[in-house]
Amino acid sequence: MARKHQAPKGTFDVLPADEAARAAVHEAAARRLGAAGYGRIETPVFEDTGLFERGVGESTDIVRKEMFTFEDQGGRSITLRPEGTAPICRAYVEHGMHRLPQPVKLWYRGPFFRYERPQEGRFRQFNQIGAEAIGAGSAMVDAELIILLAGTFADLGIPDAELLLSSLGSPAARAGYRGELSDYLREHEGDLSDDVRDRIDANPMRAFDSDHAGTRAVMEGAPQMLDRLAGEDAEHFAEVRSLLDDAGLAYTLDGSLVRGLDYYNRTVFEFTCDRLGAQSGLGGGGRYDGLVELLGGPPTPAVGWAAGIERILLALETPPDPEPIDVFVVAGEDRARAFALVGELREAGVAADLDLAGRSFKGQMKQADRSRAAHAVILEPDGTAKLRDMSSGDQREIEPAAIVAALAAGAR
Ligand code: HAM
């Protein structure tokens, strides 16, 4: 026998039975975000490697070890996108979107790629829904986006996602704090993991994310940026909090919340769900006021989030069932007649199907049941027809010429 192939490690196939749940996530995002003035954007699944090196940050785990990077036939370094924010800022600059009324509100969905150790809820190709509002610094935008994500989770049947909220302040304020944190880490150097010790200067904030026991113990007593917010940073954060309070959205302040991307300043947030186990992050984001300028655009404040579709599906208590069809046509003898009728029904907008595997009459009736169709049409050998209501089992004669019109009226 020929060698069997498997989907690459960390990837998966989406089979028809999984599709309804995914479509529900897409629809919930489209509805919530569309109604709030966000337009859908699509960017390529690959970009120049330099975009992520600059945008996401050289010292992040994503850039250091998780990117799928390769050289194309033209000798360019290409990377499968590990996230969507840097590409969208690239598109904002490339299309001169700063000339549009601000903020420009965009949403997206699609596949992303990170070379991570696969486990439940963590893949090498995964999907995100995401939203970005570019061109406004108001705390109202931060609050709007957080409320939209909470609403999307609620629409989908995840009412218990927990919101963690923090602020990283401005880059200038953070620079002072980072020095303080580096000093603190150096004092406890002996207890830290090698990885954290190596990055004391490059990225000390990542120590908050470590799962190394010694490092975690050290971080319990570490100074937090949240306690050092001052001036406009403190005002901005207070306003975000008060808008969330007014909207009745509960949150937990978490000064140890650092996100794995370098572009953030001020507000950062994450939604978690206990049902997810180790990979509890459903979605997250924050403000990134410096990114557009870093990528060659004018100084432009911005804020956004992304949520993992596979994580959302894991958090759903009852995933939606696939859409059933309207009618299954059962042929007594004349299969060509059944085939023609199904064609006419589909043209009339009725979701119709029939047996294509030569099943017996009994087998076709079973198939009709399995299809979860609302109705079956039974074409009798003598040319008459019956319409059966599959849930009640009630069956009545129907004029063959009237079948399409009767079902089309019901399907509408
Ligand atoms: P992120 O936190 O890296 O943020 O990813 C967002 C979400 O994507 C995570 O909360 C998680 O649900 C999902 N996710 C990430 N990695 C994986 C994986 N390997 N397998 C399955 N799901 C995963 C960003 O990507 C930022 N671009 C969000 C953002 C937008 N910030 C501002 N605007």
Side-chain angles (χ1 to χ4, degrees):
M1 269 222 283
R3 181 175 162 252
K4 284 189 189 138
H5 292 280
Q6 288 183 332
K9 189 170 175 186
T11 70
F12 53 86
D13 299 308
V14 177
L15 301 177
D18 312 323
E19 181 47 32
R22 283 174 184 272
V25 177
H26 298 163
E27 278 159 27
R31 208 179 319 113
R32 275 275 170 183
L33 295 164
Y38 289 72
R40 182 159 164 221
I41 182 168
E42 281 187 37
T43 60
V45 294
F46 60 84
E47 297 269 358
D48 290 342
T49 301
L51 172 66
F52 300 112
E53 289 172 345
R54 291 187 82 184
V56 174
E58 303 262 16
S59 70
T60 60
D61 281 351
I62 292 180
V63 171
R64 288 190 343 152
K65 45 190 186 197
E66 294 172 2
M67 297 207 297
F68 282 90
T69 296
F70 59 95
E71 193 172 290
D72 74 5
Q73 281 84 336
R76 302 170 195 87
S77 181
I78 294 293
T79 292
L80 299 184
R81 60 182 186 186
E83 65 98 47
T85 309
I88 286 174
C89 290
R90 193 263 310 135
Y92 178 92
V93 174
E94 186 169 335
H95 299 282
M97 290 193 226
H98 62 278
R99 289 190 293 266
L100 301 174
Q102 306 293 301
V104 174
K105 305 209 277 190
L106 302 165
W107 81 276
Y108 54 97
R109 65 173 163 88
F112 294 85
F113 307 84
R114 294 183 194 175
Y115 192 83
E116 292 194 83
R117 198 165 42 78
Q119 60 178 75
E120 188 172 35
R122 192 163 73 195
F123 304 95
R124 291 182 176 173
Q125 176 175 343
F126 57 98
N127 291 274
Q128 287 184 344
I129 52 171
E132 318 284 354
I134 307 179
S138 160
M140 274 203 272
V141 196
D142 309 44
E144 166 173 293
L145 275 161
I146 294 171
I147 290 165
L148 285 169
L149 183 52
T152 306
F153 289 144
D155 289 352
L156 285 166
I158 314 172
D160 54 345
E162 194 192 351
L163 171 58
L164 306 177
L165 186 68
S166 188
S167 174
L168 301 173
S170 63
R174 200 158 70 248
Y177 161 73
R178 273 169 58 136
E180 187 187 346
L181 181 60
S182 299
D183 290 346
Y184 173 83
L185 291 174
R186 219 167 275 115
E187 277 166 37
H188 298 85
E189 211 163 329
D191 300 322
L192 302 176
S193 71
D194 295 347
D195 198 40
V196 169
R197 199 178 316 119
D198 289 347
R199 280 194 275 177
I200 287 186
D201 291 312
N203 200 345
M205 311 275 283
R206 295 297 295 165
F208 283 109
D209 257 359
S210 172
D211 45 21
H212 174 261
T215 307
R216 291 185 78 96
V218 171
M219 295 320 284
E220 302 253 319
Q224 295 190 346
M225 184 63 215
L226 194 53
D227 301 323
R228 283 154 184 73
L229 287 185
E232 288 181 9
D233 290 340
E235 278 167 34
H236 186 273
F237 193 54
E239 198 183 337
V240 173
R241 291 185 56 182
S242 118
L243 289 165
L244 296 180
D245 291 338
D246 290 349
L249 188 59
Y251 53 82
T252 305
L253 288 183
D254 181 356
S256 72
L257 182 65
V258 286
R259 310 248 319 122
L261 307 102
D262 271 359
Y263 46 62
Y264 293 114
N265 65 297
R266 291 197 169 163
T267 318
V268 285
F269 57 93
E270 220 157 78
F271 283 86
T272 63
C273 178
D274 287 345
R275 280 193 298 285
L276 291 185
Q279 297 302 312
S280 64
L282 265 181
R287 191 158 267 292
Y288 50 94
D289 294 334
L291 184 56
V292 169
E293 191 177 9
L294 185 72
L295 298 176
T300 309
V303 52
W305 51 254
I309 294 184
E310 289 73 28
R311 304 258 175 103
I312 292 174
L313 297 181
L314 280 173
L316 289 181
E317 273 157 350
T318 42
D321 281 329
E323 279 282 304
I325 57 169
D326 301 320
V327 58
F328 195 93
V329 177
V330 174
E333 267 163 23
D334 189 350
R335 284 170 189 268
R337 202 175 136 219
F339 185 82
L341 176 59
V342 164
E344 285 171 44
L345 286 163
R346 289 176 183 166
E347 285 298 322
V350 180
D353 210 351
L354 81 167
D355 167 53
L356 295 171
R359 287 183 181 80
S360 68
F361 182 80
K362 218 171 120 195
Q364 292 181 52
M365 287 305 289
K366 258 199 202 145
Q367 193 67 1
D369 242 352
R370 266 198 296 262
S371 75
R372 295 170 45 244
H375 293 95
V377 166
I378 301 160
L379 300 177
E380 301 288 2
D382 64 4
T384 63
K386 293 201 181 73
L387 182 66
R388 183 184 175 91
D389 181 318
M390 294 299 284
S391 50
S392 67
D394 291 344
Q395 199 166 290
R396 66 175 170 90
E397 290 271 342
I398 184 164
E399 188 56 42
I403 293 173
V404 175
L407 286 164
R412 248 177 257 124

